[in-house]
Amino acid sequence: MGKLTELIILGRGGQGGVTAARILVSAALKDGKWGQAIPEFGAERRGAVVKAYARISDEPISMHSNVRRADVLVVLTSRVLDLVNLDELMKSPDSIVIVNSPTFVKTGYRTYYVDATGISEKLGLVIAGWHIVSTPMIGAVVRVTGIVTLDSVIRSLPEFIGRESLVRLNAEAVRMGYESVRGGE
């Protein structure tokens, strides 16, 4: 199998983690790669902890299961870090954590951070009182990992976001996340 990247996206219901996995996989397909987006949730309600998984590869992917250990962990709210054992989620000491936080969060892994909530607030991407943080986080994932292109992500947005005005705002959020991500410590 060619270069395979496995991602786990952790967040709260309503933050867009499942949609983020789907957008990343759609972008991978546009880039000529293979991908899988796998949600994991039951009867959770808005605010409950939700996991989503994505696999992106240069070659066909034969496994069909949840991602057990991640190359890249995307954390949509830093408060979730208190509820999980990172060592059980990470594939290796070289695995990457990308956190929605205005400041650096020490995780014991190579960690990047972006203020996705601040970006969402600045753009007015708030639905039913919840900041949409998934699109700025996708931008950060693209910048840190290079697993898909920024252009393919932006071209994938209309498939998952309804109104044209929201597509434009989310595209800007992706770009701002891409430009704002910091860290690597």
Side-chain angles (χ1 to χ4, degrees), residues 48-103:
V49 175
V50 173
K51 287 182 185 175
Y53 310 99
R55 285 189 181 94
I56 297 174
S57 179
D58 296 332
E59 296 180 3
I61 303 168
S62 59
M63 67 185 88
H64 298 283
S65 62
N66 293 345
V67 173
R68 288 174 182 76
R69 293 190 178 263
D71 298 298
V72 180
L73 177 68
V74 181
V75 182
L76 301 181
T77 176
S78 61
R79 290 184 215 128
V80 172
L81 290 172
D82 296 330
L83 305 174
V84 299
N85 180 340
L86 281 183
D87 293 334
E88 291 177 1
L89 295 175
M90 307 305 285
K91 192 175 282 186
S92 76
D94 294 329
S95 294
I96 296 170
V97 179
I98 305 172
V99 183
N100 171 13
S101 175
T103 58

Side-chain angles (χ1 to χ4, degrees), residues 4-182:
L4 172 70
T5 302
E6 295 184 301
L7 298 96
I8 297 175
I9 302 171
L10 285 179
R12 299 275 187 190
Q15 289 188 302
V18 171
T19 302
R22 292 169 143 179
I23 291 169
L24 284 167
V25 168
S26 175
L29 297 175
K30 285 175 177 50
D31 286 340
K33 297 182 179 186
W34 298 81
Q36 296 175 340
I38 306 160
E40 179 183 290
F41 56 87
E44 286 88 350
R45 66 193 188 303
R46 183 174 289 275
V49 175
V50 173
K51 287 182 185 175
Y53 310 99
R55 285 189 181 94
I56 297 174
S57 179
D58 296 332
E59 296 180 3
I61 303 168
S62 59
M63 67 185 88
H64 298 283
S65 62
N66 293 345
V67 173
R68 288 174 182 76
R69 293 190 178 263
D71 298 298
V72 180
L73 177 68
V74 181
V75 182
L76 301 181
T77 176
S78 61
R79 290 184 215 128
V80 172
L81 290 172
D82 296 330
L83 305 174
V84 299
N85 180 340
L86 281 183
D87 293 334
E88 291 177 1
L89 295 175
M90 307 305 285
K91 192 175 282 186
S92 76
D94 294 329
S95 294
I96 296 170
V97 179
I98 305 172
V99 183
N100 171 13
S101 175
T103 58
F104 181 75
V105 176
K106 188 172 174 91
T107 66
Y109 293 88
R110 196 169 59 184
T111 303
Y112 297 83
Y113 65 97
V114 63
D115 187 6
T117 302
I119 291 169
S120 172
E121 193 167 300
K122 180 177 182 176
L123 294 174
L125 275 172
V126 181
I127 297 175
W130 286 80
H131 290 88
I132 305 304
V133 298
S134 57
T135 45
M137 293 300 290
I138 292 169
V141 169
V142 171
R143 178 76 179 265
V144 169
T145 67
I147 57 173
V148 295
T149 63
L150 191 60
D151 179 63
S152 66
V153 166
I154 291 169
R155 288 187 297 124
S156 294
L157 293 175
E159 297 170 34
F160 303 96
I161 300 169
R163 295 191 321 254
E164 177 61 33
S165 61
L166 286 177
V167 171
R168 284 194 306 273
L169 282 175
N170 279 280
E172 184 59 24
V174 169
R175 287 185 194 96
M176 290 174 75
Y178 183 92
E179 293 299 327
S180 301
V181 67
R182 302 286 181 260

